[in-house]
Amino acid sequence: MADWTGVARRADHPASLTPDAAAAPLDPRQLLTSLGEVVYDWDLRSDRLSFGSNGAEVIGLDCRGALATGAAFDRLIDVASGPGRCAFFRTAAGEDTGAGVPFRLAYRLRIGATDVAVEDSGRWYAGPDGHPAIVHGVMRIAREPALAGVARTDGWADLARTIDTLFAGGCGRHRPLTLIFLAIDNLGAINAALGYARGDDIIAATAQVLTRQLRQGDLLIRHGSNRFALVMRGCSAQQATVAAARMAGLAAAAGGAVATVRLRMGAATAPQHADDAETLMRNANLAFDEARRLSGSGFVFYGPQLAATMTARRAAAEGIDILAALNERRIVPARQAIVDAETRQPAFHEALLRVRMPDGAAAGAARLVPAAEKAGLIEAVDHRMLELITARMTDEPGLRVALNISPRTLASRAWLGNLAAQLGACPGVAERLIIEITETAAVEDPGATRASLDAMKALGVFIAIDDFGAGHTSFRHLRHFPIDLLKIDGAFVQNLARSSDDRFFVRTLVDLAQHLGIATVAEWVEDEDTARLLTQWGVDYLQGEHIAPVTAWPEPAGLTVERARERARSA
């Protein structure tokens, strides 16, 4: 294969590990866990939430079961810190030009008997409507002592058991049973202005005010740092509405002279809205989420209209028609330059997936890829992108391009044959093409992955690992894969200026990659200080909006895919 100095290691970087250094390769999963960090991906349309392989160790819960959806995770969030994650991304503002929109959240979780402070940051990617569709981020978790005060349940299941007991006694069937979820809406602002200690005092004072308003038989249960469940036996929806208004007025004074407390409340009543504890809790929680979303009234009662609204929102978030986009040739590439860290000159470009929507808008990979995977068409999408990119590379003989392929495509039997045919139709392209695979794809079946990578290398292409650092791959795997390029996950790069943990983690990845003789790319470089720091550490290439924006990629003016194939057949 022809030498490509654009991604070759610089001469001052060691080409291999020494025997001593190779004996104990570092596993990034262990490093992330020790820092209390876990990477995650969240598809807001399906609500599927996927954590890195160290998720259970960091969070302390079954991330593949109990926390497999954003809604399930949101139930653990203490709204004291502000709106839940679901509510935040429903109203998130910003323009996604292809590289995503950065975000940063801070909130608390209630896990068992422990309060957990979370710093959540990353990027969200827009769907065709411009609203967040995919979130890719990293959570940093610090466990805190439980707050003293009101007795509480131990999470959602414990609260369900308490309400189940009331159903067993006839409440919710023969007599009405109303459940109100409530929290201090402005506690995040109170904490920011007065400190968390004063905020905790205000939570306790609010609980005392509410407790004094309870009737005989009512229950006030704390099941989060700033989340309460008010269970009212023999209370109709109309009576609960009156009670909620009274409690909101009385709680306003719980902060004394320093703060006015605002409550957000969501309620549901059995048997009107539910005939079991789980349904009652779920409907009350939907009403509570709606109350947090609305800027007006702080109290929402569950009802058919709310259920219809939620259904309409889910329908609006359904996937796009991938087959139509393929047939109508509306899948097109964009590109972003990746520059040499020292010279800041473009070394190569990354090809980015786009689809032109029927209304003229453009959707990015974060919107398209999950829909294509769900429809079973991701291999067809990847093959179409390969056709488009090789055509453009043929039209621009000096162009070097990195192309992502999905794990499903890498594992398919047809991929290598398609790649060989396409490269055969476009002579001179192979040695300028980088195929990017994700960490997850690399380790799902290491033996099969190694065979596929060896076969691609034999065709003359370069190989890159994308989003490295998400906690799946150890450097032991990398030593056995023919990798030319390592792309460090941008969720860590974007926080370098604020996080000493991320600086340590990224620096460690760079040092070990240098020992292995693998070139590095830092993604999501958003400011000059970060760019200079990465360059000092020896990162080879930089990518991000600060470095070079995502741009459209015009149709090739010269050789098309079809003409290239015809020329190859006649040669």
Side-chain angles (χ1 to χ4, degrees):
M1 182 175 68
D3 180 35
W4 180 16
T5 57
V7 293
R9 292 291 321 160
R10 295 193 176 99
D12 57 347
H13 291 164
S16 63
L17 282 170
T18 64
D20 290 341
L26 179 67
D27 188 339
R29 166 179 166 160
Q30 296 175 356
L31 179 57
L32 280 174
T33 302
S34 70
L35 298 175
E37 294 186 354
V38 59
V39 171
Y40 70 89
D41 293 296
W42 183 20
D43 184 335
L44 276 72
R45 299 172 305 269
S46 66
D47 200 32
R48 183 178 62 186
L49 182 61
S50 302
F51 289 92
S53 58
N54 65 327
E57 298 167 75
V58 171
I59 298 177
L61 289 175
D62 176 13
C63 293
R64 295 185 178 180
L67 298 183
T69 66
F73 187 90
D74 236 33
R75 293 189 190 109
L76 300 179
I77 294 179
D78 167 19
V79 295
S81 310
R85 294 166 76 248
C86 292
F88 172 81
F89 287 109
R90 277 198 298 265
T91 58
E95 183 179 356
D96 180 9
T97 61
V101 179
F103 72 90
R104 192 175 187 85
L105 297 172
Y107 47 85
R108 285 179 174 175
L109 301 180
R110 177 68 185 175
I111 299 177
T114 306
D115 281 317
V116 173
V118 180
E119 184 180 277
D120 189 342
S121 60
R123 289 181 179 240
W124 61 260
Y125 297 85
D129 59 359
H131 298 301
I134 295 290
V135 178
H136 177 55
V138 59
M139 293 180 187
R140 179 177 296 109
I141 295 176
R143 300 187 181 274
E144 299 176 346
L147 297 176
V150 181
R152 67 171 83 212
T153 60
D154 224 0
W156 187 262
D158 196 12
L159 178 60
R161 285 191 292 270
T162 299
I163 299 176
D164 266 330
T165 301
L166 298 177
F167 269 90
C171 283
R173 294 190 174 95
H174 309 303
R175 289 190 299 155
L177 177 67
T178 294
L179 172 63
I180 302 178
F181 283 126
L182 58 94
I184 300 175
D185 182 49
N186 59 326
L187 190 58
I190 292 172
N191 285 336
L194 305 177
Y196 278 96
R198 187 70 182 100
D200 289 342
D201 291 341
I202 290 175
I203 294 174
T206 302
Q208 291 174 6
V209 168
L210 297 177
T211 300
R212 288 195 292 267
Q213 305 307 311
L214 299 183
R215 306 167 308 160
Q216 185 175 2
D218 290 345
L219 300 173
L220 182 66
I221 303 169
R222 185 180 182 186
H223 69 113
S225 180
N226 173 42
R227 179 163 167 141
F228 297 85
L230 175 57
V231 184
M232 307 179 74
R233 289 184 278 191
C235 182
S236 66
Q238 182 178 6
Q239 291 171 322
T241 301
V242 173
R246 183 176 69 251
M247 288 187 293
L250 294 171
V258 296
T260 299
V261 174
R262 295 195 308 269
L263 295 183
R264 288 284 174 180
M265 295 175 278
T269 295
Q272 182 178 350
H273 302 135
D275 56 9
D276 61 80
E278 183 65 30
T279 303
L280 180 66
M281 292 171 62
R282 183 172 64 249
N283 290 344
N285 196 60
L286 286 174
F288 181 68
D289 285 343
E290 186 71 1
R292 289 190 298 175
R293 190 185 71 84
L294 297 176
S295 58
S297 172
F299 180 68
V300 172
F301 226 112
Y302 180 85
Q305 184 175 1
L306 176 59
T309 299
M310 302 296 285
T311 301
R313 286 181 190 152
R314 286 193 294 270
E318 285 299 315
I320 59 177
D321 191 336
I322 303 300
L323 190 58
L326 285 164
N327 291 337
E328 296 166 10
R329 299 281 175 167
R330 290 190 281 108
I331 290 179
V332 295
R335 63 180 175 181
Q336 185 175 37
I338 299 173
V339 305
D340 183 285
E342 293 182 351
T343 67
R344 299 295 178 89
Q345 294 301 308
F348 56 102
H349 290 76
E350 179 176 357
L352 302 171
L353 181 63
R354 295 291 182 270
V355 58
R356 295 194 186 102
M357 304 301 290
D359 62 0
R367 184 74 176 94
L368 180 64
V369 170
E373 289 177 339
K374 184 177 180 180
L377 294 170
I378 189 61
E379 294 176 42
V381 170
D382 283 344
H383 182 61
R384 178 58 181 161
M385 281 291 289
L386 177 65
E387 289 181 333
L388 295 169
I389 295 311
T390 52
R392 281 159 173 76
M393 293 176 71
T394 301
D395 194 57
E396 301 180 53
L399 188 65
R400 295 163 174 165
V401 179
L403 174 66
N404 287 278
I405 63 168
S406 75
R408 192 171 300 178
T409 298
L410 178 67
S412 72
R413 296 181 178 180
W415 164 248
L416 289 173
N418 289 339
L419 178 62
Q422 198 64 35
L423 295 176
C426 301
V429 165
E431 58 266 29
R432 295 183 283 122
L433 178 65
I434 308 172
I435 300 296
E436 292 189 14
I437 64 172
T438 64
E439 272 193 287
T440 304
V443 298
E444 282 182 349
D445 186 340
T449 298
R450 175 60 192 262
S452 295
L453 298 185
D454 284 343
M456 286 192 285
K457 292 286 287 185
L459 293 174
V461 302
F462 286 77
I463 305 295
I465 295 285
D466 194 18
D467 296 334
F468 190 80
H472 298 284
T473 307
S474 73
F475 277 83
R476 182 178 293 105
H477 285 110
L478 292 185
R479 294 175 61 211
H480 299 294
F481 291 155
I483 303 300
D484 302 291
L485 193 62
L486 195 68
K487 301 189 73 175
I488 300 171
D489 195 311
F492 302 107
V493 173
Q494 71 169 2
N495 287 327
L496 290 185
R498 298 179 294 269
S499 170
S500 59
D501 289 342
D502 285 349
R503 288 195 293 273
F504 171 72
F505 182 63
V506 172
R507 180 68 181 270
T508 301
L509 291 184
V510 173
D511 289 345
L512 290 173
Q514 290 177 349
H515 279 294
L516 287 170
I518 302 175
T520 51
V521 177
E523 302 176 303
W524 299 5
V525 179
E526 298 179 347
D527 57 75
E528 187 58 29
D529 289 342
T530 299
R532 284 197 294 264
L533 185 61
L534 292 164
T535 303
Q536 291 171 7
W537 291 347
V539 171
D540 297 283
Y541 305 102
L542 306 176
Q543 180 179 6
E545 285 295 303
H546 172 73
I547 301 300
V550 176
T551 60
W553 204 338
E555 294 287 340
L559 194 66
T560 64
V561 174
E562 290 75 14
R563 288 173 57 193
R565 286 176 174 167
E566 291 174 3
R567 191 175 73 175
R569 284 194 295 267
S570 62

